[in-house]
Amino acid sequence: MAGAGAGGRAGSVRSRTGRAVALARLLNRDCTRLLELYRERENFPPEMCLEKDRIVALSPSAPHLSANERVWLLHSALHQCLRLLERVIGWEDEQGFGEEGEYESMRSTVKDRLGHLLQSTKTLLVEGEGIAPLTPNPDNPEETDGLEKGGIFEAKLWTCRVLQELIHWTQSTAQTLHTMHSERDKERGKTTGRKGKRERGGIQS
Amino acid sequence: MDHCLLWALLLTSQVRVSQCQNGFQPPVPQRVRVEPDFVSQVLSIAWDKDLTYPVLFYDIEVLRTELGEIVYNYTIEVRADSAGRFHHWNWTSPIPLECTSHTVRVRSRQQQHTSDWSEQIVPGMDIPVNTGAKMYPQDRVVAVGSNTTFCCIVQERKEFKSFKYKTSILNSTRLSRRSYAGTVTNQPPSIPSGTNVVCLDDSNYYTGTVVFVGYPPGDRDLVCETRDLVSVECQWRIGQDTYLRGVQRQTHYTLNGKQCKLHNNLVKSSKKDKLQCQLSVTLDQGEINWTLGARNPLGTIQLTDKADINHRVRPHAPLEVYTANVYSRNASVHWRWGPNGYRTLPLECQAHVNSSENTYTFDYSGPGVSEALLKDLQPDEEYTVRIRCRTQQNTWKWGDWSLDYNFQTIKERPDALNIWVWMDSNQTGYVKWKPLSKSESHGQIVAYEVTYWNPEEDGRRTLSLPQTQHRAPLCPGDIGDCVITVTARNSAGTSPAASITIPRFSAGEVHTLYKVSGRNGGFDLFWPPYANTSCGYVVEWCPTGKQDCDVDWRKVPAGNASARIESGSFVAGVRYTFSIYACSSGAPELLERRQGYVVELAPAQHVSELKAQQYGSDVLLSWDEVPLDGRRGFICGYTVYTPNGSHLVPIENITDPNTRSYMVRHLSPGFYKFTVKAHTSGGQDGGVTVSLKLDPSTDWLVIEILVALGAMTGFLFLITIFCYTKRQWVKKTFYPEIPEPKLPEEWPTTPGTFGSRTLAVEPCPHNTVHIVENPERESDKFSPEVELEEEEGDGAGAGESPPDTDSSDPVVLRYYNQVVDDGSQGPRSADSSSSSSSDSSSTSLASTRTDVTYTGIQSAASSSGAPVQPEASDMGGYRPQMTPELASAEPQADSAGPADFPLLGDFGGYQPQITWRADSRPASTAPWAAPHPSAPPSSSSPTPPLRRAQIAYPPPPGFTTCCRANPDPPPSRRHHAVSFFGGDTGLFQLISVFNP
């Protein structure tokens, strides 16, 4: 297949980035809907659980980072989000909160698509460079587990924050990858233009 | 900082409050201890007994420390001989103990004397060292319908704003500086994730807690059994949903004290509302109690089932069911039990075999049964088999069904076809056979073979038809004694031959038709047994009158002379003809035919050709029968109606269905409508109407005339008889004998004063009245101008006047002469003599009276020739009213009276009814006159009945008055004649006045 790279990567980097962007956008919508369903179930007003502090404290938009580093940070953040989501799902199942409703269905969908997005971002990383994602900061107890610090109400608030993290990081992933995708398009255009000029010059010469 | 110091003091010291009292003071309770149970919100208060001074009463008070609000105050009595070294008292707080600090104080009481308080403080979570916001109780599990008080501790330097229970705002009560409480009553069940209760402060910071509202365990119906003979399985129904989920809140079970866990031995049964717990046991325990404990945060229940598990063996489902040998009509089925098996266990098993058409159940028994033989299967049939077993002894429950196993039996040749022949009146028809069902075909039919054989010609002809065709033409040529044989063929072979001998069809063959009624969607047919049948009967049916009928038939075994015919093709309201044939070695023999409807309906069509014909005053209605297709039932009769307004009134119900006419009798002329409706047992049709205008009959008119004439004749005859029998009365009444004038005996016959004088008969002079008609007046008004011409020498000169020769009064003249003649002739005929002799008494009377003779009124034409007297009798309505008898009854005094000339005297009932005088005349000049009978009535006086004219009347207008008197009459015999002549009508009236 054209564009198939090593490690089972299918398509060109550009197309993979495009697919990752689309998937990140789709997942972002899913996460938004998941949070809505959660608020409905818990009768949480919109102003509740609007924490500004991030559980996953990474900054892939730093200007000095390379594209690969940015992808790597996004991949790490999404990986932590998946871990947080799995923890939430496990905790809710343990508490017997699941009842096979729309929330539970959407929760499962988000988990699956988040795994796919992780896989997509992983394929964007240059082999040998930062494949292993960052692990959570052990100094941030919230980042490790916010479900055990208080009662069930606090755990619900923390669940709400995890869902917000998902929204944030899927949006960041979509935006960052989209920017990278656009930049690569520009670079490709420039490269194609110079190469064309050279080729045309060679012919002329 | 100040707060910290304050609370440090409160926590580290016991304060003894001195109470100044006069006299004795009980000892202060020592070593007061308060243990809070935050889950149950109970404060457990204990203090040491005072062994030296037994106290029987203690006061206990609980206060919210910060606000000093007393929330509990009670005096307890303790037993002096109670065991132990300290006293104990529990107090349950209505709010979570974490909400705020509580001060518990105890003092001893001796009647009215009390000791100082001994206090202990239980700090709440709102103390200043805890600066964060918090809600209590945390993650509490409560029962549905209960009340719960929540409290909210706001952050330091924040203000409480509101409580919310789900989406409802709660009323709040302040407990302390930072703590507020709100109570929820009658809580409904919560969702699995619990009900959130949140608290909001002035910075819109949310604090919250979760409460789980549910029910205690409601499990029931515990049943224990064994399936593998090495463990016990107990099942029970979950019952009421507890609404409590999660490891911490769900119901936990124990079986005989051992935990049943979901991941271990607690499983949900196949039925969703059941749970089961398995426990390894030995079966030699005999009958014991199996106890299930169910517990959740709201309660615990126990269920018990007492049983000997040896008697409660319910086998597992057989495994790996398969068929070892499959044939066309049987198959052997094998299965395997689980690892342990029931090799020695006596089992009773069921094999449930299901095909597309049938379902069978086979029973087998034996120790550890693991195979079965399935019999009576159909060839080429797909079957599904499943097995289950139970113990043969101490029968308990059937084990589970095994999984279904499918197999198919092998094919066989088809069964013989069921054929029949149908012939119509044109000696054409077909031979038909019924398609073989799956149970008869034993495999897919690939073709049919039809063989024609004529024994006379000994020739055979075979025709092969595809599987989709189920009829074949009859024998070619002469079909007499032709035999048709039909076979079906599948991949396994050819069916046995089915033959039929084509019967000779005789056109016009007449068979008695019987009616047969449908019942419950079919027909019950009975027929007399036919001795010569060898292979039973065939009942054939077809819609009556239908060309190219798709015949159906049913074969009835010999010995049965009846059949219940049912078919899905039967249609209500359609007549079917059933033909019953006797089956023999030769051609079928038709025994009889019947017709019937499976359900009779009201006719769909009405009678045809309805006509009405008049026969005098009768009307004959005639019609033709309802067409067969429209009858939809047997016609039971007809009903004749006539409309009455918007309704039809039945006038005749004809119960004979063969009747085609009806006579409506005795109708008077007029317009008539008749409606005829045919009816079946299903109802009536809509009816058809005919109208007729009934003309009057000529005979009737003649009869009417004859009757009228007869009646008239009879009436006249009766009148005649009456008049004849009463002729004397009639004569006296209507024609009284007019008395003749009588001459008195002293009538001078000798010459004397009068005797020498003869009666000179001269027409009396009369006054002439000239009628001057006023042409301006209307002709019908009777008001002529009268002009009287007085004769000169009135009275005295009368004798000198020439006789009136006016031709207009010859009658007067004649009559006058007649009267005179009569008087002069003396006694007349015998009649006169008799009357004179018989009226001798009246003679004197007459001599004193004035007799008046009416000559009536007659026209001038009629009066010209006829004598006056006879005509007077015909003048109806103008007759004398005084009978002689009445006259004779007059008192004699009248005659003896001085009225020697009573011209205007008493007439004895003959009085004029009006007095009419002409104003222009003196009464003495013409004091008499009678009104003309036809004179117009006056408005002031009606027309008087015509009686006797009064002499004093003047002549009516338009009449000429004629009066002649003897110029020398004796004073007592003056005669006056008055004649009225009608001006317009030409009538006149003559009134003679005799004055004796």
Side-chain angles (χ1 to χ4, degrees):
Chain A
M1 176 184 280
R9 295 173 182 176
S12 65
V13 173
R14 181 173 174 275
S15 64
R16 291 199 301 267
T17 306
R19 281 198 296 272
V21 170
L23 185 56
R25 286 173 176 167
L26 176 65
L27 187 55
N28 182 257
R29 285 196 293 272
D30 290 344
C31 293
T32 305
R33 176 62 183 153
L34 183 61
L35 180 59
E36 287 176 4
L37 293 172
Y38 188 74
R39 288 182 187 279
E40 287 175 10
R41 190 187 79 176
E42 299 296 336
N43 289 314
F44 278 179
E47 65 272 16
M48 190 179 280
C49 72
L50 290 177
E51 291 287 339
K52 293 179 181 176
D53 298 335
R54 296 262 73 83
I55 299 176
V56 180
L58 296 175
S59 180
S61 59
H64 62 278
L65 294 177
S66 66
N68 196 53
E69 287 171 335
R70 288 182 196 173
V71 174
W72 175 68
L73 283 174
L74 287 173
H75 178 75
S76 299
L78 292 174
H79 189 271
Q80 290 186 39
C81 285
L82 178 60
R83 193 186 54 78
L84 290 171
L85 180 61
E86 287 173 341
R87 178 71 183 102
V88 165
I89 292 173
W91 179 80
E92 287 195 328
D93 289 345
E94 182 186 347
Q95 294 293 325
F97 289 176
E99 274 212 331
E100 300 178 357
E102 187 181 358
Y103 168 77
E104 286 74 19
S105 175
M106 181 59 72
R107 191 180 65 181
S108 176
T109 301
V110 167
K111 178 190 168 189
D112 293 342
R113 286 179 176 167
L114 186 55
H116 294 152
L117 183 59
L118 272 175
Q119 204 61 31
S120 297
T121 53
K122 187 177 179 181
T123 61
L124 298 176
L125 294 173
V126 178
E127 284 187 48
E129 291 184 20
I131 294 294
L134 289 175
T135 55
N137 182 5
D139 296 334
N140 184 1
E142 252 193 358
E143 197 172 342
T144 53
D145 197 350
L147 297 173
E148 303 295 339
K149 70 170 187 178
I152 292 175
F153 187 78
E154 282 74 15
K156 287 181 177 181
L157 289 179
W158 192 79
T159 301
C160 192
R161 287 186 64 192
V162 168
L163 299 181
Q164 286 179 322
E165 288 295 305
L166 285 170
I167 294 170
H168 171 78
W169 283 111
T170 52
Q171 187 177 18
S172 295
T173 302
Q175 288 176 348
T176 305
L177 293 182
H178 177 70
T179 305
M180 290 170 57
H181 187 61
S182 303
E183 289 173 353
R184 280 175 181 166
D185 276 352
K186 289 177 183 175
E187 287 178 3
R188 187 187 177 196
K190 291 177 183 176
T191 306
T192 306
R194 284 195 296 270
K195 189 177 180 182
K197 286 179 182 176
R198 278 200 302 271
E199 287 175 352
R200 283 195 296 274
I203 292 171
Q204 289 171 355
S205 64
Chain B
M1 190 64 181
D2 294 338
H3 295 302
C4 293
L5 289 174
L6 174 63
W7 282 107
L9 286 172
L10 287 171
L11 290 172
T12 56
S13 66
Q14 284 188 337
V15 179
R16 289 179 175 265
V17 180
S18 297
Q19 184 177 5
C20 294
Q21 292 186 354
N22 296 326
F24 173 76
Q25 185 175 24
V28 175
Q30 298 297 312
R31 290 208 322 126
V32 173
R33 303 173 294 279
V34 179
E35 296 291 335
D37 183 345
F38 292 100
V39 175
S40 59
Q41 299 179 187
V42 171
L43 288 179
S44 182
I45 307 164
W47 62 96
D48 290 349
K49 282 185 179 178
D50 193 339
L51 299 176
T52 60
Y53 189 87
V55 177
L56 298 180
F57 295 93
Y58 290 93
D59 292 337
I60 299 176
E61 280 188 357
V62 179
L63 300 85
R64 288 179 186 147
T65 306
E66 279 195 34
L67 301 181
E69 179 184 3
I70 298 174
V71 293
Y72 184 70
N73 181 11
Y74 195 67
T75 299
I76 63 170
E77 179 183 4
V78 297
R79 293 172 60 90
D81 56 349
S82 60
R85 295 189 301 168
F86 55 88
H87 298 295
H88 181 263
W89 183 253
N90 283 347
W91 174 72
T92 302
S93 171
I95 64 171
L97 296 175
E98 300 94 332
C99 292
T100 187
S101 299
H102 291 82
T103 299
V104 178
R105 57 188 187 183
V106 182
R107 69 182 179 187
S108 56
R109 172 180 291 276
Q110 187 69 34
Q111 295 179 348
Q112 300 301 320
H113 303 284
T114 58
S115 70
D116 293 336
W117 290 107
S118 179
E119 293 184 348
Q120 193 67 256
I121 292 177
V122 179
M125 297 302 290
D126 59 343
I127 57 176
V129 293
N130 300 324
T131 58
K134 201 72 175 178
M135 277 199 72
Y136 295 97
Q138 286 279 310
D139 308 333
R140 178 71 60 85
V141 180
V142 299
V144 173
S146 64
N147 306 331
T148 303
T149 299
F150 299 90
C151 66
C152 172
I153 302 171
V154 296
Q155 285 182 344
E156 281 288 357
R157 288 180 289 278
K158 295 287 174 61
E159 292 297 326
F160 171 80
K161 193 172 180 181
S162 63
F163 263 131
K164 261 190 179 178
Y165 183 89
K166 287 198 282 191
T167 55
S168 305
I169 301 293
L170 292 182
N171 294 327
S172 58
T173 305
R174 189 166 193 169
L175 302 176
S176 68
R177 185 174 56 88
R178 289 170 53 205
S179 183
Y180 295 83
T183 301
V184 180
T185 59
N186 194 19
Q187 296 174 89
S190 57
I191 60 174
S193 63
T195 302
N196 297 324
V197 189
V198 298
C199 167
L200 188 65
D201 63 18
D202 56 352
S203 63
N204 288 333
Y205 179 82
Y206 282 94
T207 311
T209 185
V210 179
V211 59
F212 297 90
V213 187
Y215 291 98
D219 304 86
R220 53 191 170 87
D221 302 339
L222 176 69
V223 176
C224 296
E225 62 190 9
T226 182
R227 309 200 67 176
D228 55 5
L229 308 179
V230 294
S231 66
V232 63
E233 289 182 6
C234 294
Q235 281 194 349
W236 63 93
R237 294 186 185 278
I238 296 173
Q240 167 74 52
D241 185 5
T242 62
Y243 294 94
L244 302 177
R245 305 287 187 269
V247 177
Q248 296 169 352
R249 293 170 294 277
Q250 69 186 13
T251 304
H252 296 271
Y253 298 97
T254 58
L255 182 61
N256 281 9
K258 296 184 178 177
Q259 291 282 339
C260 299
K261 294 184 179 178
L262 279 173
H263 64 275
N264 186 11
N265 53 2
L266 180 66
V267 293
K268 284 201 170 185
S269 171
S270 55
K271 298 178 180 177
K272 287 185 177 179
D273 63 336
K274 278 191 169 184
L275 285 175
Q276 73 176 38
C277 183
Q278 187 174 6
L279 197 63
S280 297
V281 294
T282 56
L283 300 181
D284 55 356
Q285 298 180 66
E287 187 175 76
I288 62 170
N289 280 334
W290 301 95
T291 302
L292 176 78
R295 175 182 54 82
N296 74 3
L298 296 176
T300 301
I301 60 170
Q302 280 194 339
L303 305 176
T304 300
D305 182 26
K306 188 175 184 180
D308 182 353
I309 290 300
N310 274 314
H311 298 165
R312 291 189 176 182
V313 179
R314 185 162 70 96
H316 284 295
L319 304 173
E320 299 176 12
V321 177
Y322 64 97
T323 52
N325 299 299
V326 179
Y327 303 100
S328 60
R329 296 189 179 270
N330 58 64
S332 61
V333 179
H334 294 249
W335 61 89
R336 189 176 65 79
W337 293 110
N340 297 323
Y342 306 109
R343 293 187 184 86
T344 59
L345 185 66
L347 292 176
E348 175 185 346
C349 296
Q350 279 187 341
H352 186 79
V353 182
N354 191 24
S355 70
S356 58
E357 297 181 353
N358 293 300
T359 297
Y360 315 93
T361 299
F362 301 95
D363 294 325
Y364 312 92
S365 60
V369 177
S370 61
E371 64 178 17
L373 178 65
L374 309 179
K375 300 177 184 176
D376 301 327
L377 304 180
Q378 291 293 321
D380 192 36
E381 183 70 77
E382 290 183 356
Y383 288 96
T384 299
V385 62
R386 55 181 179 168
I387 311 292
R388 70 174 181 179
C389 299
R390 66 180 178 183
T391 53
Q392 204 171 3
Q393 301 167 350
N394 302 316
T395 301
W396 177 233
K397 295 178 180 176
W398 283 105
D400 298 326
W401 285 108
S402 68
L403 297 177
D404 288 345
Y405 178 78
N406 300 320
F407 65 96
Q408 183 170 10
T409 53
I410 63 176
K411 297 175 182 172
E412 273 187 0
R413 69 169 187 166
D415 289 345
L417 291 168
N418 182 357
I419 67 173
W420 185 242
V421 63
W422 166 255
M423 302 176 69
D424 59 17
S425 59
N426 296 324
Q427 293 197 347
T428 59
Y430 52 83
V431 60
K432 183 182 177 183
W433 55 93
K434 294 188 176 180
L436 293 174
S437 65
K438 191 172 183 180
S439 62
E440 295 168 334
S441 62
H442 307 158
Q444 179 66 41
I445 301 296
V446 295
Y448 295 102
E449 289 183 355
V450 183
T451 302
Y452 301 95
W453 176 53
N454 192 331
E456 296 176 353
E457 300 176 358
D458 197 20
R460 292 176 184 270
R461 179 170 168 246
T462 302
L463 183 65
S464 184
L465 297 174
Q467 56 173 340
T468 56
Q469 193 163 339
H470 300 102
R471 64 162 69 177
L474 295 180
C475 301
D478 185 10
I479 63 173
D481 294 331
C482 175
V483 178
I484 298 179
T485 302
V486 185
T487 58
R489 183 158 48 86
N490 66 9
S491 60
T494 303
S495 70
S499 300
I500 188 167
T501 302
I502 307 302
R504 287 184 178 276
F505 186 88
S506 55
E509 187 177 6
V510 176
H511 288 271
T512 305
L513 282 174
Y514 299 98
K515 289 181 182 177
V516 58
S517 299
R519 185 177 63 84
N520 296 332
F523 295 90
D524 294 311
L525 298 176
F526 302 89
W527 58 89
Y530 185 66
N532 294 332
T533 179
S534 59
C535 50
Y537 304 92
V538 175
V539 179
E540 164 205 286
W541 64 88
C542 186
T544 305
K546 186 176 181 182
Q547 298 295 326
D548 192 21
C549 156
D550 188 12
V551 69
D552 200 354
W553 70 95
R554 181 179 162 189
K555 292 186 175 178
V556 180
N560 285 350
S562 65
R564 164 84 178 162
I565 306 298
E566 291 179 333
S567 172
S569 62
F570 285 150
V571 177
V574 174
R575 182 185 291 191
Y576 292 93
T577 299
F578 295 89
S579 302
I580 300 167
Y581 290 86
C583 174
S584 63
S585 58
E589 185 177 348
L590 178 62
L591 299 182
E592 61 180 59
R593 282 196 166 125
R594 303 190 178 199
Q595 291 185 339
Y597 295 85
V598 65
V599 174
E600 290 195 38
L601 303 175
Q605 299 180 25
H606 48 69
V607 298
S608 57
E609 300 296 329
L610 176 62
K611 296 174 182 174
Q613 289 179 299
Q614 178 180 357
Y615 289 91
S617 61
D618 301 338
V619 173
L620 176 64
L621 301 175
S622 61
W623 59 86
D624 289 345
E625 61 183 359
V626 179
L628 179 61
D629 291 343
R631 290 180 201 172
R632 304 206 298 177
F634 292 112
I635 301 296
C636 302
Y638 304 91
T639 306
V640 182
Y641 297 89
T642 184
N644 181 11
S646 60
H647 301 286
L648 290 176
V649 178
I651 58 176
E652 182 63 24
N653 185 20
I654 301 168
T655 56
D656 181 6
N658 297 318
T659 301
R660 297 286 182 274
S661 62
Y662 175 69
M663 181 74 82
V664 186
R665 299 185 180 278
H666 308 309
L667 297 173
S668 53
F671 185 77
Y672 290 93
K673 282 186 177 179
F674 300 98
T675 299
V676 176
K677 293 184 178 181
H679 55 88
T680 68
S681 63
Q684 286 186 327
D685 64 37
V688 60
T689 302
V690 66
S691 56
L692 174 74
K693 184 179 181 183
L694 196 63
D695 297 325
S697 171
T698 307
D699 298 340
W700 180 253
L701 188 61
V702 172
I703 289 172
E704 283 185 342
I705 293 172
L706 291 178
V707 168
L709 289 175
M712 183 63 70
T713 305
F715 178 72
L716 292 175
F717 182 70
L718 290 175
I719 292 297
T720 305
I721 293 175
F722 177 78
C723 292
Y724 179 75
T725 55
K726 298 291 183 182
R727 59 186 181 279
Q728 293 301 327
W729 176 80
V730 170
K731 183 179 179 183
K732 288 178 182 176
T733 301
F734 297 105
Y735 304 101
E737 191 172 352
I738 301 173
E740 295 181 357
K742 300 294 183 183
L743 297 176
E745 293 178 357
E746 60 273 18
W747 183 270
T749 55
T750 56
T753 308
F754 295 101
S756 61
R757 302 176 60 186
T758 58
L759 182 62
V761 178
E762 295 177 354
C764 63
H766 62 273
N767 295 332
T768 301
V769 178
H770 295 276
I771 305 301
V772 180
E773 293 187 10
N774 188 352
E776 296 177 1
R777 296 197 177 178
E778 295 179 3
S779 60
D780 58 347
K781 292 199 175 175
F782 194 71
S783 55
E785 293 180 1
V786 180
E787 205 178 290
L788 293 178
E789 293 182 0
E790 294 290 339
E791 291 188 5
E792 296 178 359
D794 187 17
E800 300 174 0
S801 63
D804 187 5
T805 58
D806 191 350
S807 62
S808 62
D809 56 351
V811 177
V812 174
L813 211 66
R814 190 179 305 121
Y815 179 75
Y816 189 81
N817 292 335
Q818 182 182 0
V819 169
V820 172
D821 289 343
D822 290 343
S824 61
Q825 290 174 358
R828 301 185 301 176
S829 62
D831 185 37
S832 302
S833 59
S834 63
S835 67
S836 62
S837 60
S838 62
D839 293 337
S840 57
S841 61
S842 64
T843 302
S844 60
L845 173 63
S847 63
T848 61
R849 313 180 43 165
T850 299
D851 289 340
V852 178
T853 299
Y854 296 88
T855 58
I857 300 172
Q858 61 184 22
S859 64
S862 62
S863 62
S864 59
V868 174
Q869 188 65 27
E871 288 178 3
S873 62
D874 293 334
M875 303 298 288
Y878 198 72
R879 296 185 177 93
Q881 295 178 355
M882 178 61 76
T883 60
E885 289 77 7
L886 290 173
S888 61
E890 293 284 338
Q892 295 296 323
D894 289 346
S895 59
D900 191 23
F901 186 73
L903 183 60
L904 299 176
D906 186 5
F907 267 86
Y910 193 73
Q911 298 295 332
Q913 292 180 346
I914 60 172
T915 299
W916 181 74
R917 297 174 183 273
D919 295 338
S920 58
R921 294 174 63 97
S924 59
T925 306
W928 40 269
H932 190 275
S934 62
S938 168
S939 60
S940 60
S941 62
T943 304
L946 196 57
R947 292 184 178 180
R948 180 173 293 182
Q950 187 171 353
I951 305 303
Y953 285 0
F959 282 76
T960 301
T961 303
C962 174
C963 178
R964 294 282 175 87
N966 192 331
D968 299 318
S972 59
R973 292 183 62 100
R974 295 186 65 180
H975 168 245
H976 301 269
V978 178
S979 53
F980 296 154
F981 297 90
D984 295 337
T985 59
L987 298 178
F988 72 93
Q989 183 175 12
L990 174 65
I991 299 175
S992 299
V993 179
F994 299 93
N995 195 356

